[in-house]
Amino acid sequence: MPERRGSGRRPAYWTRACAELSRRDPVMARLVREFRGSVLRGGGDAFETLCRAVVGQQISLQAADSVWRNLLAHFGDEMMPHRIHRCHLGTLRRCGLSQNKARCLKNIAQFFVHRRVTPRYWRRPLDETRAALLSITGIGPWTFEMFAIFYLKHPDVLPLGDLGLVNAMEQQYNGGRRLADARLRTIAARWEPWRTVATWYLWRSIDPEPVVYPGPAADA
């Protein structure tokens, strides 16, 4: 499940999505009431969002925070693509990153530098953004989905590779018992086109702190 950090504006679709989900699904209606006043928020920096996603893959929140603090101590308060692109791989390793994660951060930085990525770059269809990010070695479907939720704030993302979401669905819809993938998708079908919103409320159901990202099973 994503880390609990960051800030951002309330998505314009949020109120409508909550109303429609509540009409269709009694579980969603209950969760919307329970967590009334809380909304999806995310950071405003695409590069930092992706880097934090990679740092947080397959390790605890505490461990991810420690690594991120090490990176900030070395590179400053802002993670800039050109600085990561030019740094030695060993520098990233000494901050606590694994070899694979260090290479992935370098790959992300190279992508941003060589393509001269600006915020306008992401104003494209979601499938084009997905293809672009998955072309970066080390970025997989889950990281793309977290980026789509927390940076792009796309309203209809369903990250079934996220164990937190699956666990929450099993608790809320099947008494904690395992649900087959087909059943998970059947349940989620009633949420379209607001699956991001439903996902966020399900995350909230197992984590009392709002799920927020600065700008994310893992891909590494």
Side-chain angles (χ1 to χ4, degrees):
M1 196 160 69
E3 298 169 13
R4 302 185 297 275
R5 290 186 172 272
S7 62
R9 295 181 178 179
R10 175 193 186 101
Y13 56 76
W14 198 263
T15 298
R16 177 185 174 188
C18 289
E20 292 187 11
L21 288 170
S22 295
R23 284 196 297 269
R24 299 176 195 169
D25 186 331
V27 171
M28 283 293 116
R30 174 171 51 80
L31 293 178
V32 168
R33 288 194 304 270
E34 183 176 352
F35 299 106
R36 188 180 304 276
S38 294
V39 300
L40 168 68
R41 300 187 188 278
D45 185 85
F47 181 70
E48 183 177 337
T49 299
L50 287 169
C51 287
R52 288 222 61 155
V54 171
V55 169
Q57 290 171 359
Q58 299 178 328
I59 60 177
S60 70
L61 175 62
Q62 293 76 14
D65 279 344
S66 177
V67 174
W68 191 253
R69 285 194 299 270
N70 292 341
L71 288 167
L72 292 182
H74 184 84
F75 292 101
D77 290 338
E78 294 185 4
M79 297 284 291
M80 304 298 291
H82 67 276
R83 297 194 66 191
I84 301 298
H85 182 55
R86 293 200 303 258
C87 81
H88 193 276
L89 195 67
T91 300
L92 297 175
R93 292 297 311 278
R94 286 191 292 274
C95 289
L97 290 168
S98 68
Q99 183 81 0
N100 285 343
K101 289 184 179 182
R103 290 189 182 280
C104 186
L105 259 62
K106 296 276 286 181
N107 293 339
I108 295 170
Q110 179 178 333
F111 177 91
F112 273 70
V113 170
H114 286 187
R115 300 200 184 193
R116 299 181 180 178
V117 174
T118 68
R120 290 179 59 86
Y121 181 88
W122 308 110
R123 298 175 188 173
R124 58 183 64 207
L126 192 64
D127 59 344
E128 292 184 16
T129 297
R130 185 180 191 276
L133 291 181
L134 294 186
S135 72
I136 303 172
T137 301
I139 296 293
W142 179 81
T143 300
F144 158 73
E145 289 160 353
M146 296 303 104
F147 183 82
I149 290 173
F150 288 97
Y151 179 75
L152 300 177
K153 294 187 176 69
H154 191 282
D156 195 34
V157 179
L158 181 68
L160 286 182
D162 184 86
L163 294 181
L165 172 61
V166 173
N167 290 339
M169 291 180 71
E170 290 173 345
Q171 290 182 25
Q172 295 295 326
Y173 291 91
N174 203 38
R177 299 181 297 276
R178 184 181 179 278
L179 286 169
D181 184 71
R183 179 58 180 157
L184 292 170
R185 294 186 181 279
T186 297
I187 293 170
R190 74 186 70 166
W191 305 332
E192 296 182 50
W194 312 117
R195 290 179 294 180
T196 291
V197 181
T199 294
W200 188 87
Y201 279 109
L202 285 160
W203 278 333
R204 285 301 313 272
S205 74
I206 59 172
D207 191 334
E209 294 294 324
V211 179
V212 185
Y213 223 56
D219 304 320

